[in-house]
Structures are given as structure tokens and as C-alpha cells.
């Protein structure tokens, strides 16, 4: 869990940095491509190309394409038809996708993990809920695709590492993840990118470098590594912790208004879902009475 909590903090800062220095100023497709390229450059010198199971490598390419390809293509396009509060509201469903996909791949069903995920979603909704406005059906569908593919990518990595244990440490083949991301990130920029909105200040380039090195390279590496050390319910719940963490960072650094009672209530519900997950894990794994 320490890996996942560390990444949650990294990503909490990322939301504020994107909102302050990149959103509306730097082409979103270029921002995604820059993050992926920087992360790939970190891991490719360490990457082994032989001696790995073919399905493990192919799976990591697919996971990267899902999490940094499909997810971000849908996420950024949802902003054209949704308000920011609507985008934030519709992203809280990710924990449920994580739980259901993990159970499906493992061919099981753990009701406690699903209950914990639903409770975590409730906590996120308490924090983020705003009345819906205008025509939001298309945006809702786009974000559900984004939520599902982001969940699928992390669940796929978790399952691959469990099914195909290798002697090489994770950092020796994690570069394949970002190569998969490039398969979609590069064509997306070439087709939809706006060259007139490339970064033009040192601050913007610095934010992209920080995002590529820490939020993307180290963040995704630690998230995948951490996901193998917790159960599916805990992983699902931790997908929701970025909600209160991001709001706290934004409040402390940029002094933005925040509904503190709602933040506290939603955070308490999310923490309660972690307790439910731990309780369910003990009961689910306990032997049945004779």
C-alpha cells in the first residue's frame, strides 16, 4: 500500500499542475505524448527484449495503449461537452470497474470487494457531486469508456504479473508498457494535435518534464508494483483517494475554495470503504466451518 499512497499524492499534485499551467494553454494530445515519451526514455535503456513470455510483453503493450491511449483520448474529448463538475462526477465510477474486471479475469466474484468499491464511489460522489447541466449523455459515455479502460489497464498488469512470474525485476520490462502507450499517443497527436499550442514557456516545459518523470514514469511503475501487493477491493478504493487528496493539495497551495464539510464527509466514507475491504478480505479468506 505505501507505493499506491505515494502515487496518490503524486497524482494529487498533477491535477493542480495541469489545471494551472497546461489546460487550455498546451495542446492536450501533445501533453499526453510528451509524458509518454519522457517515461519511455526513462525505462527503455533498462528494457530487456528477449527471454520474456510473449503474452506478458503483449499484455503490457495492450495495458499501456488502454491507460494512455483510449483513456486520455476519451477524457480530453469529454471536456467539449461537459462542465468540469460533470467530468469530476463521472470519474468516480472507476473503482467499480476495477473490482468487476479483476473478478472477471480471475473468474471469481468477491461481493465484499464490490461493496467496498461502491462505498468508495459514494464517498467520491459526496465530495464532487454538482447538479448536472445541459446535454451530458455523450460526455458520460466517453468518460465511462475512459474509466473502464483505465481500470482495465491496471487490472491487466496486475493479472499478468501474477500469471507470468519471471526472474527479471519489473523495471527491466516496464518499458513495454510505454511503448504500447506510444502506439496510440503518437497517432493521436499527428491526427488531432494543434502545433500552434505547443509549450512556449519554461514553466510549461518544466511541468511536462515533472509530469513525465514523476507522475507518469515513476507513478505508473509504483502503481503497477503496488497493485500486486493488495487485493482487488483495496486497489479499487485507492483509485478514489485522489479525490480528497487532489482537493486538499489545491486548497493548500492555490487557496481555491473547497467545501470542507463535504470533503471531510466524503473522505471519511472512503476510509470506511478501506475498513470494509479489509473486513471482507478476512471473512472471504477464512475457512468455512466444518
Amino acid at each position: 500500500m505505501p507505493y499506491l499512497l505515494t502515487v496518490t499524492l503524486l497524482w494529487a499534485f498533477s491535477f493542480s499542475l495541469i489545471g494551472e499551467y497546461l489546460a487550455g494553454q498546451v495542446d492536450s494530445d501533445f501533453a499526453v505524448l510528451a509524458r509518454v515519451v519522457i517515461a519511455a526514455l526513462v525505462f527503455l535503456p533498462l528494457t530487456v527484449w528477449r527471454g520474456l513470455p510473449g503474452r506478458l510483453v503483449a499484455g503490457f503493450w495492450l495495458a499501456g495503449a488502454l491507460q494512455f491511449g483510449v483513456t486520455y483520448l476519451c477524457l480530453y474529448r469529454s471536456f467539449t461537452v461537459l462542465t468540469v463538475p460533470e467530468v469530476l462526477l463521472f470519474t468516480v465510477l472507476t473503482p467499480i470497474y476495477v473490482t468487476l474486471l479483476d473478478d472477471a479475469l480471475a473468474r471469481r466474484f468477491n461481493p465484499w470487494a464490490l461493496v467496498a468499491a461502491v462505498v468508495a464511489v459514494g464517498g467520491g460522489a459526496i465530495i464532487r457531486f454538482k447538479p448536472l447541466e445541459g446535454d451530458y449523455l455523450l460526455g458520460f459515455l466517453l468518460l465511462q469508456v475512459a474509466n473502464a479502460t483505465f481500470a482495465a489497464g491496471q487490472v491487466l498488469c496486475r493479472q499478468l504479473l501474477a500469471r507470468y512470474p519471471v526472474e527479471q525485476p519489473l523495471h527491466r520490462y516496464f518499458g513495454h508498457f510505454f511503448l504500447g502507450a506510444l502506439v496510440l499517443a503518437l497517432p493521436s497527436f499527428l491526427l488531432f494535435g494543434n502545433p500552434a499550442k505547443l509549450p512556449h514557456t519554461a514553466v510549461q516545459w518544466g511541468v511536462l518534464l515533472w509530469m513525465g518523470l514523476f507522475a507518469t514514469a515513476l507513478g505508473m511503475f509504483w502503481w503497477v508494483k503496488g497493485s500486486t501487493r493488495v487485493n482487488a477491493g483495496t486497489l479499487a478504493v485507492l483509485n478514489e483517494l485522489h479525490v480528497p487528496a487532489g482537493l486538499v493539495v489545491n486548497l493548500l497551495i492555490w487557496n481555491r475554495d473547497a467545501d470542507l464539510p463535504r470533503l471531510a464527509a466524503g473522505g471519511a466514507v472512503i476510509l470506511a470503504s478501506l475498513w470494509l475491504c479489509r473486513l471482507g478480505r478476512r471473512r472471504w479468506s477464512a475457512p468455512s466451518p466444518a
Side-chain angles (χ1 to χ4, degrees), residues 157-169:
C157 286
R158 168 185 163 88
Q159 293 289 335
L160 287 168
L161 292 174
R163 293 184 183 185
Y164 301 102
V166 295
E167 294 182 358
Q168 296 286 354

Side-chain angles (χ1 to χ4, degrees), residues 91-99 121 147 150-151 154 236 239-240:
T91 60
V92 302
L93 297 177
T94 303
I96 292 180
Y97 290 112
V98 170
T99 301
V121 167
N147 291 340
F150 187 76
Q154 57 186 301
N239 269 271
E240 204 65 44

